Amino acid sequence: MDGDLSLQDKKDLDKFIKFFALKTVQVIVQARLGEKIFTRSSSSPTGSDWFNLAIKDIPEVTHEAKKALAGQLPGIGRSMCVEISLKTSEGDSMELETWCLEMNEKCDKDIKVSYTVYNRLSVLLKSLLAITRVTPAYKLSRKQGHDYVILYRIYFGEVQLTGLGEGFQSVRVGVVGTPVGTVTLSCAYRTNLAFMSSRQFQRSAPITGIIVDHFVDPPFNSQRPPTMGHPCNYRAPDDEEGGPFPGVQDSQEVCTTSFSTSPPSQVSEPPPTGQSADSSGSWTCHSHCEFCTERHRDERRRSLTPADPLEFLNTFTRKVGAFVNKPNAQMTTGCLDVPFSALIPRVLESDDVDPLVHPPDSPPCPSPLQASLHSESSEGSGQQEDFVMVDFRPAFSKDDLLPMDLGTFYREFQNPPQLASLSLNISSQSMAEDLDSLPEKLRIYEKNIDEFDAFVDMLQ
Amino acid sequence: MNCRSEVLEVTVEARQVEEAMLALLHTVLLHRSTGKFHYKKEGTYSIGTVGTLDIDCDFIDFTFVRVSSEELDRMIRKAVNEFKDALSNSGSDGMGQISLEFYQKKKSRWPFSDECIPWEVWSIKVNVVNLANEQERQICLEKVGEKLGEKVINVVEVINRHEYLPKMPTQSEVDNVFDTSLKDVQPYLYKISYQITDTLGTSVSTTMRRLIKDTLAL
C-alpha cells in the first residue's frame, strides 16, 4: 500500500496528519475556554498558519497533545481523543464530551496528497470550529468560573465513552480520505445533564501525581488526579519568561504555503486537455515560526484570565453553611486565606450593624424582612464548626443545570443594610410630625378640591 | 454538470430573522472561503490565512463562527436586512426564502455576456411566527438555538461529502471562480437572492401557526 505512495507524498501526508491532530486539539480546547475566540485574516501567509487558517497555538495544549501522541500518529486502532469534563467547586466531576480523531482502513489511492487532502483537512477544521459551538458543552463552558470549571484531557489509543452516561449522542464532523486510510473526526456528547442536579457525581479519587497548571493556583484544597485533566483557562506567559515550554517552540515545524497553479485535476474529473498535468504541487519552506503576536497576547491576557482571581479563589475557599454568621456578608475580598488580606479595606460598618453578626437580644422586628434575618441567625449563630455546604436552591428558580445565578444573587443580597425608615426612633419622630402637619394639609387640599376633581375627570 | 441544491428550513420570531440568517449564511461562507491567492512566477501561488470570529446572537441562544472579514460581513448583512425588510413588509405571518448561490463564470464570445453557471445553491426557508407572551418567547429563544445547531450540523454534513468544487484556477481565470474584490479573504463567487411567498393559502399558514403554538405550549 505504501509503495504506491511516493516518499515525498508519504512524508507530506504524515506531516499533515500530525499537524491536523495538533490543530484539532487547539480548536477544541480553545472552544471550551469560556470566551469568544477571534483571529485575524491575513492576505499574506506567515508560514505558520497550517491549513490556511488562523488558529493560535497555546503552548501547554500543544505540549500535552505531543505528550499524548508520543511521536505516533493517529492510525487504525490508535485514535486521538480529547475529553472535556466539568468539575465543580466541591470536587465532583462529570464527563461532558469526547472528541475522537480516528483513522479507518478505507483508502483513497487516487487522491492527491499535497493538494486535495490538504484542502479537505482545512475544510474539516472549519467544520470543527463550527460544530464546537453547537454541542451542549459550549454553553456550559461559557458560564464556567463561579461554581465549576471545564477541564480537558488528551489520550491516545482506544476511545472510551463509558463516562458519558446513558443515551449519549454522536455527531460526525467530517471525513477526509487519504491514500493510507480515512481520517474521521467526531464527537460523542452527554445528553443526561440532569445528573448534575441530583448530585450523583463520581467523587474524584485521591491523587498521586500532580498536574501542574501554570496559570491559576489550584482553587480546590485537593489536587487534581492524573485522570482529571487540565483547566480550560489560559493566561499567556510574559515575554521574558519565554513560556513554560520553550522546547515546544523549537520543534514547531513550518507549514507549506505554496501551491502550483496547474494542480492535479479533481478526483472525479478527467484531466483537461491543453493543460500540463502536474502531479504534485511545489512546496517552499519558510524558516520563520510564529506563535501569538503581541497584540493577541495582550488581548488574551485581558480576556482569558478569570475576571478577578481573588474572587475566583474566594468562591472556592469558602466552605460554610448557608446561614452561618460570617464577617463578610458580601462575596468580595473578605477571605482570610488571601495573602495580604490585611491590606484590603474591609467593609466593617456593615458588619457592625449586620444582624447576623451581632444578633440583638430582644429583636424589635418592625418589618418581616428583619424578622426573617433574625430567625436565620438563630439557626447558625455563634459556632463556626464543621459546616457542610448546603445546596442552596432558591425557590422558583428555573430547574436549569445549575441555578447559580439566582442563588448567587440571593446570597449576595441576603443581608442588606437596615432601612433608615424602619428604625424605631426615626419612625416615631416622623409619625408625630405627620400628625401635626395633617390639619394644615387637609386645609390646602380642600381649597384645591376643584383641581383634583378636574384631574380625576381627565383620567376617566 | 448538475448544480447541488440544499434546502434548510427554520421557524423564527420576527426579531430573530436577521441573526438566524446571518448564522447560517456565514457558516456556509466559512467553508466556502479561502485566503487570498498570490500568484508568483513559475505558475505557483500561495494562499493567505483566514481568521475566524465568534458571534453571540442577542435574540437567539446561539453562537456561530464567521470569517474575520468586515467587508464580507457588511455585504451579507446588507442582503439579510433587505430580506428582513421585505419579509416584514409582506405581512405579519411572513414566509420567505433566501438563497445563497455559488457560481462560476464562463466567458462567452461577444456579443453574448458571460454565463453564470451555479454549482451549489443553499436555500433557507423562513417561517415567521408571532408569539403572544414572554414565556413563549423565552422558550422560542432556546428552541431556535437548538434548531440552528441542527442546521449547522446539516450544513457541515453536506460540505464534508466533498462533492464537486471548481478547479483551482490559473491567474487569468481566478475571477471566474472566486470573488477577488475583498482584501482579506476570497470566497467563491456567490450571489444572494430572496423571494417572499405570500401566495400560500391561509390554511397552510394557519396550520403552521397552530403547530408552533402547540410545540410551545407548556
Side-chain angles (χ1 to χ4, degrees), chain A residues 23-32 82 84 99 128 132:
Chain A
K23 287 293 180 181
T24 294
V25 175
Q26 290 287 348
V27 167
I28 294 168
V29 173
Q30 287 175 31
R32 299 288 175 262
V82 181
I84 301 290
W99 299 84
L128 182 64
T132 42

Side-chain angles (χ1 to χ4, degrees), chain A residues 35-46 49 52-55 115 119-121 123-124 126-134 138-139 142 171-177 189 257-266 268-269 272 275 282 284 286 398, chain B residues 27 30-40 42-56 61-65 67-69 138 142 145-146 148-150 152-153 156-157 159-160 162-171 183-185:
Chain A
E35 271 113 18
K36 297 199 286 188
I37 303 296
F38 165 62
T39 53
R40 278 185 218 281
S41 301
S42 159
S43 65
S44 15
T46 59
D49 292 326
N52 308 117
L53 276 175
I55 298 171
Y115 167 70
N119 286 334
R120 288 184 181 181
L121 288 174
V123 168
L124 188 51
K126 289 173 182 171
S127 300
L128 182 64
L129 280 163
I131 300 284
T132 42
R133 275 65 175 170
V134 159
Y138 181 71
K139 292 199 188 117
R142 289 290 297 269
V171 60
R172 194 167 78 165
V173 182
V175 297
V176 172
Y189 58 93
T257 56
S258 227
F259 296 81
S260 159
T261 46
S262 50
S265 45
Q266 294 285 329
S268 50
E269 268 184 68
Q275 251 187 327
S282 66
T284 57
H286 298 265
K398 214 160 69 132
Chain B
T27 301
L30 169 69
H31 293 84
R32 293 284 181 249
S33 301
T34 74
K36 295 284 291 177
F37 281 16
H38 295 280
Y39 289 92
K40 302 183 265 210
E42 303 124 28
T44 60
Y45 64 96
S46 59
I47 307 184
T49 304
V50 171
T52 57
L53 170 59
D54 285 332
I55 303 288
D56 286 337
D61 195 8
F62 191 66
T63 301
F64 64 92
V65 182
V67 168
S68 278
S69 166
Q138 188 62 31
E142 289 162 15
E146 284 169 21
L148 276 184
E150 286 171 27
V152 165
I153 295 176
V156 160
E157 204 181 1
I159 288 183
N160 275 274
H162 299 299
E163 290 166 346
Y164 174 77
L165 275 184
K167 259 194 349 270
M168 281 304 148
T170 56
Q171 189 166 13
K183 64 179 192 312
D184 43 14
V185 293

Side-chain angles (χ1 to χ4, degrees), chain A residues 152-435:
Chain A
Y152 73 94
R153 179 173 80 95
I154 308 172
Y155 63 89
F156 193 70
E158 275 201 38
V159 180
Q160 298 153 23
L161 299 178
T162 48
L164 293 173
E166 277 180 25
F168 66 84
Q169 299 262 15
S170 220
V171 60
R172 194 167 78 165
V173 182
V175 297
V176 172
T178 77
V180 300
T182 300
V183 174
T184 314
L185 188 52
S186 59
C187 171
Y189 58 93
R190 167 184 284 276
T191 52
N192 190 7
L193 288 165
F195 222 40
M196 288 173 62
S197 53
S198 58
R199 295 179 60 81
Q200 287 164 26
F201 303 149
Q202 15 164 334
R203 289 275 161 188
S204 47
I207 350 76
T208 50
I210 298 171
I211 306 268
V212 182
D213 83 319
H214 293 260
F215 315 115
V216 176
D217 289 334
F220 321 123
N221 294 331
S222 61
Q223 285 159 338
R224 277 195 306 283
T227 53
M228 197 86 264
H230 305 266
C232 286
N233 54 24
Y234 171 70
R235 203 186 304 144
D238 292 329
D239 283 309
E240 301 80 49
E241 279 175 43
F245 303 103
V248 171
Q249 293 186 7
D250 295 340
S251 62
Q252 168 86 0
E253 294 175 49
V254 294
C255 64
T256 52
T257 56
S258 227
F259 296 81
S260 159
T261 46
S262 50
S265 45
Q266 294 285 329
V267 178
S268 50
E269 268 184 68
T273 54
Q275 251 187 327
S276 61
D278 235 4
S279 59
S280 64
S282 66
W283 299 101
T284 57
C285 271
H286 298 265
S287 59
H288 165 67
C289 296
E290 193 181 294
F291 287 96
C292 303
T293 58
E294 198 56 45
R295 59 176 184 274
H296 289 314
R297 188 177 280 130
D298 285 342
E299 278 166 21
R300 280 203 137 197
R301 195 179 282 122
R302 275 201 301 277
S303 62
L304 288 183
T305 50
D308 181 8
L310 227 45
E311 200 179 277
F312 183 76
L313 282 175
N314 200 35
T315 57
F316 287 127
T317 48
R318 281 183 73 188
K319 240 199 167 134
V320 292
F323 308 121
V324 79
N325 67 344
K326 187 89 172 143
N328 49 335
Q330 291 148 8
M331 279 171 55
T332 49
T333 56
C335 178
L336 294 171
D337 295 335
V338 171
F340 308 115
S341 58
L343 299 176
I344 300 162
R346 303 237 187 150
V347 188
L348 289 172
E349 306 79 54
S350 68
D351 289 350
D352 288 335
V353 300
D354 191 338
L356 283 191
V357 178
H358 306 292
D361 293 325
S362 51
C365 293
S367 83
L369 179 63
Q370 272 203 344
S372 64
L373 285 174
H374 289 303
S375 62
E376 281 163 8
S377 72
S378 64
E379 280 174 29
S381 61
Q383 286 78 41
Q384 282 189 39
E385 289 151 359
D386 297 333
F387 278 97
V388 174
M389 182 66 161
V390 173
D391 192 14
F392 185 50
R393 299 187 63 194
F396 311 118
S397 74
K398 214 160 69 132
D399 190 18
D400 211 344
L401 306 160
L402 289 170
M404 56 185 160
D405 290 334
L406 183 57
T408 315
F409 175 86
Y410 192 83
R411 253 177 264 139
E412 279 186 24
F413 294 100
Q414 209 173 37
N415 302 315
Q418 235 175 357
L419 281 177
S421 57
L422 288 179
S423 80
L424 255 189
N425 296 337
I426 300 168
S427 61
S428 57
Q429 274 171 17
S430 61
M431 185 106 95
E433 279 169 15
D434 282 342
L435 283 171

